[in-house]
Amino acid sequence: MTNILTMDDFNFDNRTVLVRVDFNSPIDPETGKILEDIRIRMHGETTIKELVEKGSKVVVLAHQGRPGEPDFTSLEQHAKALSGILGRPVRYIDDLFGEKAKSAIREMKSGEILVLQNVRTYTKECKKGTPEEQAKTEFVQSLAPLADIFVNDAFAAAHRAHVSIIGFAPVLPSVAGRIMERELEALAKALESPEKPCVYILGGAKADDALRISKYVLDNNIADYILMGGVAGHLFLVAKGMDLGRLNIEFLQKKKLMEFVQGIRELIREYPERIKTAPDLAIDVDGKRREISVEELPTDYSLCDIGTKTIQQYAEIIEKAKSIVVSGPVGIFENEEFAKGTKIILEAVANSQAFSLVGGGHTVAAVKQLALEQKMGYISTAGGALIEFLMGEELPGVAALEEAAKRNP
Ligand code: 3PG
């Protein structure tokens, strides 16, 4: 693992601990209620529980949504959910670093938990900066003197150089929480020395990410095969010279994805045998699934899933794999007519002997829907951070912990 300190490296008894978690959850736009509490549960049952058991005064920092978006809400209901998960009181305070927050922290006793206001209510939270710059903000300057240790458990937000992610590391002893530690270990295993053959299954709509990941894992000889699905897969078909039909091309244009075709074309030219695209597809004909082979393209209908032949071909490759990474569903699995590809592919991954790493919000939702959680090697709840990590990018949140470890060896 990277050179960072963990919760094993400090005594937490009676210490005031600032713990940055990623509670960011899907919110029902109508009711404003949390739809899925997996992230709260994950941090609650590991890092926060352990800190409480070790006698810390646990001050929780988290974000929910982005300012201006409908999911930008208070963390009051997150605090309630955490209380339910832990079966103990959790105090919420509607303040981040003002007098109310500071006196609430000062009043805390060993084993108590306090959730502060959504960190993104602080207008400078999301302004990028270096750890040293972020450490000078009022937010850090106000809270750091009240705390003994900073625990960063927010792997899923570690790709953000935000104040609450990197600003405390230069001024407090700083360690990775258990989720951060677990994610880094599992992902390093998937990336650094994957057992061969290693297969990446890339779907979803983020075709630009799919291109960058594919290039990285092929150039670095990490992946043996890339199996393409979803909208990203459609773009790979375009790069192979196929005409998908006006409707599908317009969709790719609207999503501003066509600009990646040239890069994909070059990648396919370099690795023609290792990048697999669908030989057949499912189209939406008046709400019903119909399958066509790619030779039958162009089509007047929307492409919504990979076809049966593709599923079979991909499943054979999956069966022989020793390690598998899945990022993005291969079809519109939310619609039952087009769930077949995602369902059979994920089942094949779950039933294979390979170490499997599954990540990204939609993919994890599909795995949960299919009740395959227990059969996967590792499920990462991170979306953007996972993508950055898989592309070999340095995550600012992790880099800040590395710097802190150098100061506190
Ligand atoms: C996520 O859900 O990917 C993280 O919480 C980061 O959220 P952001 O993309 O709004 O920074």
Side-chain angles (χ1 to χ4, degrees):
M1 199 174 64
T2 46
N3 203 5
I4 55 181
L5 300 177
T6 71
M7 285 167 53
D8 296 324
D9 294 307
F10 285 97
N11 175 8
F12 285 89
D13 185 26
N14 212 25
R15 303 292 197 279
T16 302
V17 180
L18 291 178
V19 51
R20 176 56 160 104
V21 293
D22 191 338
F23 278 176
N24 194 25
S25 305
I27 300 283
D28 184 329
E30 308 271 296
T31 62
K33 295 263 172 289
I34 295 171
L35 289 169
E36 166 64 68
D37 69 357
I38 180 168
R39 283 182 168 175
I40 305 173
R41 186 168 293 284
M42 183 181 78
H43 291 291
E45 287 171 348
T46 57
T47 304
I48 296 176
K49 183 166 180 273
E50 185 176 330
L51 289 171
V52 167
E53 284 169 359
K54 286 183 166 168
S56 302
K57 302 166 191 175
V58 187
V59 182
V60 179
L61 297 172
H63 73 277
Q64 171 60 56
R66 299 176 182 178
E69 299 287 331
D71 64 346
F72 181 57
T73 67
S74 140
L75 295 179
E76 191 169 5
Q77 56 174 332
H78 301 67
K80 273 203 193 103
L82 179 63
S83 170
I85 288 160
L86 293 173
R88 57 190 311 135
V90 172
R91 186 173 177 203
Y92 170 74
I93 190 125
D94 210 7
D95 188 22
L96 186 58
F97 56 85
E99 271 319 308
K100 248 167 54 176
K102 289 199 280 190
S103 56
I105 296 173
R106 283 193 203 98
E107 284 162 17
M108 287 178 83
K109 296 192 179 56
S110 166
E112 287 185 349
I113 308 167
L114 172 70
V115 176
L116 297 179
Q117 198 178 33
N118 186 341
V119 292
R120 292 188 179 175
T121 54
Y122 175 50
T123 47
K124 293 188 187 146
E125 163 67 11
C126 300
K127 208 171 144 239
K128 278 192 205 161
T130 64
E132 288 69 28
E133 283 162 353
Q134 306 293 40
K136 289 191 187 120
T137 56
E138 219 188 331
F139 178 8
V140 174
Q141 291 294 315
S142 307
L143 294 191
L146 303 178
D148 300 299
I149 304 170
F150 174 66
V151 174
N152 189 351
D153 207 27
F155 174 78
H159 57 314
R160 306 285 181 219
H162 293 175
V163 177
S164 64
I165 300 289
I166 61 171
F168 290 98
V171 290
L172 284 174
S174 299
V175 304
R178 296 304 183 198
I179 295 299
M180 174 72 87
E181 196 186 339
R182 199 165 86 184
E183 293 268 10
L184 289 173
E185 262 170 17
L187 298 180
K189 186 172 168 197
L191 206 55
E192 276 161 21
S193 53
E195 266 198 81
K196 301 289 192 155
C198 169
V199 174
Y200 270 57
I201 304 165
L202 303 178
K206 295 179 184 160
D208 46 340
D209 284 344
L211 167 61
R212 288 165 64 207
I213 298 179
S214 307
K215 186 161 173 41
Y216 181 80
V217 296
L218 289 169
D219 284 350
N220 290 286
N221 213 15
I222 293 166
D224 297 289
Y225 296 106
I226 308 277
L227 312 183
M228 290 305 308
V231 175
H234 303 161
L235 208 64
F236 275 61
L237 291 175
V238 174
K240 281 187 160 178
M242 286 172 210
D243 178 2
L244 306 184
R246 194 174 52 85
L247 189 70
N248 296 300
I249 293 297
E250 276 175 8
F251 177 79
L252 295 174
Q253 282 166 339
K254 211 170 95 202
K255 296 271 173 201
K256 299 197 169 44
L257 293 174
M258 293 298 278
E259 62 188 90
F260 301 106
V261 167
Q262 184 53 29
I264 296 170
R265 194 170 289 141
E266 282 161 22
L267 194 70
I268 294 175
R269 213 174 283 144
E270 210 174 326
Y271 303 104
E273 299 303 323
R274 291 164 68 185
I275 298 174
K276 307 286 181 193
T277 56
D280 62 349
L281 298 155
I283 53 174
D284 179 344
V285 181
D286 302 326
K288 291 272 166 249
R289 178 187 187 95
R290 207 173 88 200
E291 296 199 359
I292 57 166
S293 89
V294 290
E295 282 80 40
E296 291 170 71
L297 288 168
T299 174
D300 292 334
Y301 300 98
S302 288
L303 301 172
C304 295
D305 194 13
I306 55 173
T308 305
K309 194 168 166 199
T310 310
I311 296 171
Q312 279 161 1
Q313 284 186 5
Y314 284 6
E316 278 169 30
I317 298 174
I318 291 166
E319 206 191 324
K320 295 194 191 99
K322 289 269 168 47
S323 52
I324 305 169
V325 173
V326 189
S327 176
V330 293
I332 305 175
F333 76 94
E334 294 88 345
N335 180 335
E336 225 175 287
E337 288 288 315
F338 306 107
K340 179 175 170 180
T342 303
K343 181 173 182 289
I344 302 180
I345 293 296
L346 285 176
E347 281 170 354
V349 173
N351 292 326
S352 83
Q353 300 302 311
F355 169 78
S356 53
L357 166 71
V358 183
H362 287 92
T363 323
V364 173
V367 168
K368 278 191 83 180
Q369 196 173 304
L370 297 166
L372 295 173
E373 294 110 305
Q374 301 306 324
K375 297 178 104 182
M376 296 299 182
Y378 187 74
I379 297 178
S380 171
T381 58
L386 175 70
I387 301 288
E388 296 291 323
F389 190 95
L390 292 178
M391 287 184 305
E393 299 289 334
E394 183 181 68
L395 304 180
V398 178
L401 289 177
E402 284 170 350
E403 283 307 309
K406 286 184 200 157
R407 283 189 297 273
N408 264 300

